[in-house]
Amino acid sequence: MAPAGKVTGFHREGNDWSCNAGLPSDITVVVDGINFHLHKFPLVSKCGKIARICEGSLEKVFSTALEEFPGGPDTFLVIVKFCYGMRAELTPRNIVIVSCAADYLEMTEDYGEGNLLSKTDGFFHKNILRNWKDCLLALQSSDPVLPRAEKLQIVGKCLNALSMMVCTDPSLFGWPMMMYGSLQSPGGSILWHGINTGARIRSTESDWWFEDISYLSVGLFEKLIHTMEIRGIRPENLVGAIMYYARKYLPGLGRWQSGQSSKTRTVASFSLTPAAVDQRVLLETIERLLPEKKGKSFCRFLLGLLRVALILGVSQTCKDSLERRIGMQLEMATLDGLLIPTYSDSDTLYDTDCMERIIYRFMTSESKITSFSPPSLDLETSPSSEPLRKVAKLVDNYIAEVASDVNLKPRKIRSLAEALPESSRPLQDGLYRALDIYFKAHPWLSDRDKEELCNVIDYQKLSIDACAHASQNERLPLRVVLQVLFFEQMQLRTALAGCLHVLDAEGAPAGPMSVPGDTAGQIVQRDGWVTVVRENQVLKGDMENMRSRVGELEEEFSKIKQEMKRVTKSHSSLSSPRLVAWKMGCKLLPRSSDAQPDAVDSTGPTPRASVEQPRSSRHSRHRKSFSLF
């Protein structure tokens, strides 16, 4: 009878494993320094590799070593138990390694019906590939034996099964119950070994699988993403999984990804162990996996990756690729994302060289990348957007933010300002503000350096407020202030001419109104000037009305004055006391009141005086109204 029939178990003493067969061992198998004292017959009947070793040996008792045995001594013990007719326990955690070990020992049907390789294959297809959690566990356990597992197509089958489950709604086939077990608390929480985990089934969400696959190693995660891409999973879902994986193992990303909440752990994740990753390898892998897409959140994620890449010191190829990706969608970036600190030995606070390279990538990018399908990743789908003007505004704000750095050189400010064409800035108020901040933070600059920096500004593109500020700015050189005043007068004259042209056209009785394109563009562009011109037109109209009213009052006043002279003359000739006395033959004594012949002391009003009194009062009223005006 074979020794296997008498085996009741195995026991270990130090580094030696022995079976309780009651017969002496005739073969010793060494696996990673552990000695297994076994018998030839049960091994030769199941393992083709050991059978060939025994055929080549002339000794009855010998020892052999199995180099690079999959799974090590623990897996070999499972193989030995199977060879001795004992029950070999197969689990999702060891199924892949046991299959690789069986393949290593050539335990095929040629060496016995129902051999281990066929049993592991049946268990794998019936139990593993139909269950999300078990499939993940099997895939995660394949990492140590990945080349042999790929040769046996075990990894590929797991990847395809997982991709299919992600592509399909899990609720259609009851996968949530298979994933989380058949026990569920009355409140809807999932039970795991009788323990309330607090987790809930969320099969209706498209991101329910992000947390589970984040426990895979970098290599397996990369293979899974490629398989999902082939299966046709939406790019925004793939990017969401990639971003989730990156934030989990790159802690530096969390500080720059506001509003990103962590997902609740699933029951499947409680059975998985976090992967040990090399952050540099991970970041370079993540960069390769990202699609050529654009979006606001995606651009912010890329900026966070670039920041971490500069800290970790990844390869130059990876950094160049990240800068290229950011440059192709720079109009979707934010100022805080672009403010990347300097992680080298540079004296400046921010990495302005990196910013300059990103702007260069933006200007030289020719390929048009598409956006994610809405509404994912905070997309911008406006067809009327103007990326160049958005980038110009972003660059001006960036310069204004870094301008307070006392170590920043003027040539760097100028190179950043001149990185974009003049057409990108319809108004250059932002650029003027940035230079003013720089001058304020660098009071020791010479007028020559200031003039060289001011040459990047087109003073004809400054608003009325900016011109007013610049004309009184003590930090600007005198020559620059004179140029601002000169262009301010020219722009005011141009705006006046354009506004008058428009007003004349509006006042035309009939016919289509046509405004020259250049004039209309200037009016739209100079809304501040047009407002001033219109106010001046209103004031001009009020002044014309006032001038005509003053003319009417002067004319009326002259008529009243002439009438007063005529009435006064006739009145003095008729009512003079000396004339009356002379006619009566009387002679009057001279008095001091004679110096005022017009003042007549009469005891009662004469008829003539009574007639003239209301007219005189009317004259006084006219004089009062004119003096008030």
Side-chain angles (χ1 to χ4, degrees):
M1 181 179 291
K6 300 178 182 180
V7 173
T8 59
F10 290 85
H11 64 277
R12 180 175 182 177
E13 295 180 1
N15 291 334
D16 298 310
W17 278 94
S18 302
C19 65
N20 302 326
L23 295 174
S25 172
D26 56 0
I27 183 173
T28 301
V29 181
V30 182
V31 179
D32 295 344
I34 304 297
N35 302 318
F36 289 86
H37 302 284
L38 307 171
H39 304 87
K40 293 180 182 179
F41 180 75
L43 298 180
V44 170
S45 62
K46 297 293 185 181
C47 306
K49 185 178 183 66
I50 295 180
R52 288 198 306 273
I53 293 174
C54 292
E55 291 176 0
S57 177
L58 301 177
E59 299 178 2
K60 292 184 178 181
V61 179
F62 67 96
S63 175
T64 183
L66 300 179
E67 302 293 339
E68 298 180 357
F69 184 80
D74 295 337
T75 305
F76 187 73
L77 182 61
V78 176
I79 300 293
V80 169
K81 288 181 179 181
F82 176 80
C83 293
Y84 277 82
M86 300 176 65
R87 181 175 179 271
E89 184 179 0
L90 298 178
T91 64
R93 293 185 184 277
N94 70 358
I95 182 63
V96 178
I97 296 179
V98 171
S99 298
C100 293
D103 178 72
Y104 178 90
L105 295 174
E106 301 176 13
M107 302 178 70
T108 62
E109 295 295 315
D110 298 336
Y111 294 91
E113 185 178 355
N115 210 345
L116 184 58
L117 198 58
S118 62
K119 287 186 177 294
T120 56
D121 188 66
F123 181 85
F124 180 74
H125 284 84
K126 291 180 181 179
N127 300 93
I128 302 300
L129 295 182
R130 298 181 180 183
N131 188 292
W132 170 266
K133 183 188 71 173
D134 293 343
C135 193
L136 273 176
L137 287 171
L139 183 61
Q140 188 184 42
S141 65
S142 67
D143 227 0
V145 292
L146 193 57
R148 190 175 292 272
E150 289 181 334
K151 172 189 170 185
L152 297 176
Q153 299 181 355
I154 296 176
V155 174
K157 292 177 181 178
C158 289
L159 295 176
N160 288 327
L162 293 174
S163 300
M164 184 186 68
M165 294 180 191
V166 169
C167 290
T168 313
D169 186 1
S171 61
L172 297 178
F173 301 98
W175 282 335
M177 299 303 295
M178 297 176 67
M179 277 185 280
Y180 304 118
S182 59
L183 298 179
Q184 188 173 349
S185 67
S189 299
I190 304 164
L191 298 179
W192 181 64
H193 294 297
I195 303 174
N196 189 344
T197 62
R200 294 179 179 272
I201 299 175
R202 299 182 300 160
S203 59
T204 57
E205 298 183 8
S206 61
D207 57 354
W208 59 268
W209 46 279
F210 288 1
E211 170 69 15
D212 293 343
I213 69 171
S214 66
Y215 287 85
L216 298 175
S217 64
V218 177
L220 291 175
F221 180 81
E222 182 179 9
K223 294 177 183 296
L224 181 59
I225 293 297
H226 284 313
T227 305
M228 290 181 175
E229 186 177 4
I230 295 174
R231 285 282 184 178
I233 295 181
R234 297 170 61 184
E236 52 268 29
N237 290 341
L238 293 179
V239 171
I242 295 170
M243 293 167 66
Y244 187 88
Y245 189 89
R247 293 191 188 105
K248 184 171 185 176
Y249 294 103
L250 296 174
L253 282 177
R255 295 195 298 269
W256 314 109
Q257 306 297 319
S258 58
Q260 300 293 338
S261 59
S262 59
K263 299 185 182 303
T264 306
R265 288 194 66 178
T266 62
V267 172
S269 66
F270 284 102
S271 302
L272 298 167
T273 55
V277 299
D278 185 339
Q279 291 187 339
R280 291 181 59 184
V281 175
L282 169 62
L283 199 147
E284 293 175 358
T285 303
I286 292 297
E287 188 278 323
R288 292 195 302 268
L289 289 176
L290 293 175
E292 294 287 344
K293 296 287 185 178
K294 66 179 180 179
K296 287 186 177 180
S297 296
F298 186 55
C299 184
R300 185 177 183 85
F301 173 73
L302 290 175
L303 287 167
L305 277 183
L306 179 59
R307 191 188 301 260
V308 178
L310 295 174
I311 297 174
L312 296 177
V314 299
S315 63
Q316 188 62 38
T317 303
C318 180
K319 289 188 287 187
D320 291 343
S321 180
L322 287 174
E323 291 175 357
R324 178 185 61 83
R325 290 174 181 269
I326 296 170
M328 295 173 68
Q329 50 188 313
L330 185 56
E331 69 276 9
M332 295 187 174
T334 56
L335 178 60
D336 59 338
L338 291 172
L339 292 173
I340 302 175
T342 301
Y343 299 105
S344 59
D345 297 333
S346 178
D347 296 333
T348 57
L349 296 176
Y350 298 100
D351 195 344
T352 53
D353 294 334
C354 179
M355 181 62 183
E356 191 172 357
R357 290 193 299 268
I358 291 175
I359 299 174
Y360 174 77
R361 296 286 187 180
F362 171 77
M363 294 302 301
T364 57
S365 61
E366 297 179 356
S367 60
K368 301 296 183 180
I369 56 177
T370 58
S371 300
F372 293 96
S373 59
S376 63
L377 298 179
D378 302 332
L379 307 178
E380 176 140 344
T381 57
S382 175
S384 60
S385 60
E386 299 178 357
L388 189 60
R389 294 189 178 184
K390 291 182 179 179
V391 172
K393 183 177 180 181
L394 191 63
V395 171
D396 292 346
N397 292 334
Y398 178 85
I399 298 175
E401 191 68 26
V402 303
S404 57
D405 184 2
V406 294
N407 295 322
L408 192 61
K409 303 300 181 182
R411 62 176 181 274
K412 179 57 64 176
I413 292 288
R414 180 161 186 169
S415 61
L416 287 172
E418 294 179 343
L420 295 174
E422 293 184 1
S423 59
S424 62
R425 296 182 177 94
L427 284 178
Q428 296 193 0
D429 291 6
L431 187 57
Y432 165 73
R433 169 177 167 269
L435 293 184
D436 185 49
I437 295 175
Y438 184 76
F439 294 155
K440 184 177 181 180
H442 300 75
W444 56 84
L445 286 179
S446 63
D447 288 348
R448 180 178 179 182
D449 293 337
K450 291 182 179 180
E451 289 177 3
E452 290 180 356
L453 284 178
C454 290
N455 288 336
V456 301
I457 300 178
D458 185 359
Y459 302 106
Q460 300 185 53
K461 294 184 178 181
L462 292 180
S463 66
I464 182 173
D465 295 332
C467 285
H469 185 276
S471 62
Q472 301 177 7
N473 194 344
E474 298 178 354
R475 289 183 289 270
L476 296 181
L478 180 59
R479 182 178 300 178
V480 174
V481 174
L482 293 176
Q483 290 179 357
V484 171
L485 294 174
F486 173 75
F487 284 110
E488 184 180 6
Q489 295 298 324
M490 288 186 60
Q491 288 186 359
L492 181 59
R493 184 178 301 176
T494 303
L496 281 169
C499 187
L500 291 175
H501 178 80
V502 173
L503 292 176
D504 293 341
E506 290 178 355
M513 181 179 63
S514 62
V515 181
D518 296 340
T519 304
Q522 292 177 0
I523 292 173
V524 174
Q525 180 178 347
R526 305 293 177 181
D527 53 348
W529 289 110
V530 171
T531 302
V532 174
V533 170
R534 291 187 181 275
E535 292 177 356
N536 290 338
Q537 288 294 111
V538 173
L539 293 176
K540 183 178 179 181
D542 294 341
M543 291 177 64
E544 292 292 336
N545 296 333
M546 188 65 68
R547 185 180 294 110
S548 62
R549 178 59 179 163
V550 169
E552 293 176 358
L553 291 175
E554 288 179 349
E555 183 178 357
E556 184 177 357
F557 175 74
S558 96
K559 291 180 180 180
I560 293 174
K561 189 176 181 180
Q562 292 177 1
E563 186 175 356
M564 288 176 62
K565 289 181 177 180
R566 180 177 58 81
V567 171
T568 303
K569 183 177 181 181
S570 61
H571 177 71
S572 60
S573 60
L574 293 177
S575 59
S576 174
R578 293 184 177 276
L579 182 60
V580 174
W582 179 75
K583 287 183 178 181
M584 296 177 63
C586 299
K587 185 179 289 184
L588 297 178
L589 295 175
R591 293 177 302 177
S592 60
S593 60
D594 292 344
Q596 298 177 354
D598 293 339
V600 180
D601 186 13
S602 60
T603 59
T606 62
R608 181 71 179 180
S610 63
V611 174
E612 295 297 333
Q613 184 176 358
R615 180 178 300 179
S616 176
S617 64
R618 182 168 60 90
H619 294 169
S620 65
R621 284 199 303 269
H622 281 292
R623 285 195 298 271
K624 289 181 181 179
S625 63
F626 180 73
S627 63
L628 287 176
F629 170 74

